[in-house]
């Protein structure tokens, strides 16, 4: 059974940084594209970033480009999202998600971790 | 960037009704379209990928159709447990994009 567990969320001041992690188990981690999707309180889903199986290709949504960095460690089955220059618009639940083979539709999701940007 | 426009934004239907949600892409995305269901307070769940392929375990009353710019999610015989917000997602090319969501309620 696929298991994705996010950690690292919390309260951070505007302009601050935070690193989210996702521990994956129950599948061959290195064989799948992984991604982050966020959801602001009461709002819809917003794709944040994707990383290819090997980590060699990364993609970002325009609002986070240049501020967020996605990475993965296939030896530890972990996915990370380094976030910097955070603003109120980044306040959201951040979900780690596993893509289906052949494209980034997300077949499995973690429970999410809440990031709150506030002074 | 490709914009995904869902309609309606909300709907109310009776148990047993056939419900249709549409999603329009601002440019062609072949069949790289997924549908998700998010029940209140829960994690999103993949229903349909490749526009019309049901994810394993999804009830047969859910179906998807369409290609390029126009897509449809159909719920045949709406059930009380189908109360949720439904999202479409383009995954043809980054940046990937979600539609704004359609909230489905029981009348």
């Amino acid at each position: 059974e696929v298991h994705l567990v996010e950690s690292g969320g919390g309260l951070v001041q505007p302009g601050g940084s935070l690193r989210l992690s996702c521990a994956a188990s129950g599948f061959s981690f290195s064989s799948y594209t992984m991604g982050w999707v966020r959801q602001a309180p009461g709002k819809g889903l917003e794709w944040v970033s994707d990383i290819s199986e090997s980590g060699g290709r990364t993609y970002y949504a325009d609002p986070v480009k240049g501020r967020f960095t996605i990475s993965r460690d296939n030896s530890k089955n972990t996915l990370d999202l380094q976030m910097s220059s955070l603003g109120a618009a980044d306040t959201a639940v951040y979900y780690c998600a596993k893509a289906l083979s052949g494209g980034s539709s997300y077949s499995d999701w973690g429970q999410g971790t809440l990031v709150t940007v506030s002074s | 960037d490709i914009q995904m426009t869902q309609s309606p934004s909300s709907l109310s239907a009776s148990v047993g009704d056939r419900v249709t949600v549409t999603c329009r892409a601002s440019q062609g995305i072949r069949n790289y379209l997924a549908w998700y269901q998010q029940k209140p307070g829960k994690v999103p769940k993949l229903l349909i990928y490749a526009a019309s392929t049901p994810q394993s375990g999804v009830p047969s009353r859910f179906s998807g159709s369409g290609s390029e710019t126009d897509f449809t999610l159909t719920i045949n015989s709406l059930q009380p447990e189908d109360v949720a917000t439904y999202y479409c997602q383009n995954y043809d090319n980054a940046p990937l994009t979600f539609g704004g969501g359609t909230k489905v309620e029981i009348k």
Side-chain angles (χ1 to χ4, degrees):
Chain A
E1 181 185 0
V2 173
H3 208 47
L4 300 170
V5 180
E6 303 93 339
S7 61
L11 177 63
V12 60
Q13 292 191 337
S17 299
L18 209 58
R19 189 177 187 90
L20 305 183
S21 291
C22 173
S25 61
F27 64 103
S28 179
F29 182 73
S30 61
S31 298
Y32 293 90
T33 291
M34 297 293 296
W36 290 95
V37 176
R38 69 184 180 183
Q39 187 168 33
K43 302 297 184 182
L45 301 175
E46 181 183 19
W47 175 77
V48 173
S49 182
D50 251 20
I51 187 167
S52 63
E53 295 87 334
S54 67
R57 286 172 287 142
T58 58
Y59 307 92
Y60 299 94
D62 289 344
V64 309
K65 204 172 294 184
R67 300 189 299 121
F68 289 13
T69 302
I70 191 172
S71 61
R72 65 190 296 163
D73 186 334
N74 286 344
S75 68
K76 296 181 180 178
N77 290 355
T78 56
L79 174 73
D80 288 343
L81 185 69
Q82 177 67 46
M83 307 185 294
S84 62
S85 302
L86 287 164
D90 298 312
T91 294
V93 173
Y94 285 73
Y95 295 103
C96 163
K98 167 188 167 292
L100 277 178
S101 295
S104 291
S105 60
Y106 298 116
S107 58
D108 298 275
W109 298 61
Q111 288 301 307
T113 187
L114 176 63
V115 172
T116 303
V117 183
S118 175
S119 55
Chain B
D1 298 356
I2 297 173
Q3 309 302 317
M4 306 300 291
T5 304
Q6 279 184 242
S7 62
S9 57
S10 66
L11 66 90
S12 181
S14 299
V15 172
D17 282 354
R18 183 181 190 187
V19 168
T20 300
V21 179
T22 64
C23 180
R24 175 162 288 175
S26 59
Q27 63 189 72
I29 58 170
R30 299 178 283 178
N31 69 335
Y32 288 89
L33 190 283
W35 288 98
Y36 299 87
Q37 175 194 63
Q38 187 177 32
K39 295 183 178 181
K42 300 297 185 181
V43 173
K45 173 187 173 183
L46 177 65
L47 293 177
I48 304 283
Y49 64 95
S52 60
T53 304
Q55 173 67 337
S56 175
V58 171
S60 59
R61 63 181 179 275
F62 292 94
S63 63
S65 64
S67 66
E68 297 297 348
T69 61
D70 293 294
F71 302 88
T72 299
L73 172 70
T74 299
I75 309 174
N76 280 304
S77 188
L78 184 70
Q79 298 301 301
E81 59 266 33
D82 300 334
V83 169
T85 300
Y86 294 83
Y87 296 93
C88 62
Q89 179 212 5
N90 145 53
Y91 61 99
D92 186 13
N93 279 303
L96 312 186
T97 42
F98 286 91
T102 296
K103 187 173 184 180
V104 174
E105 298 175 322
I106 300 291
K107 191 181 295 182

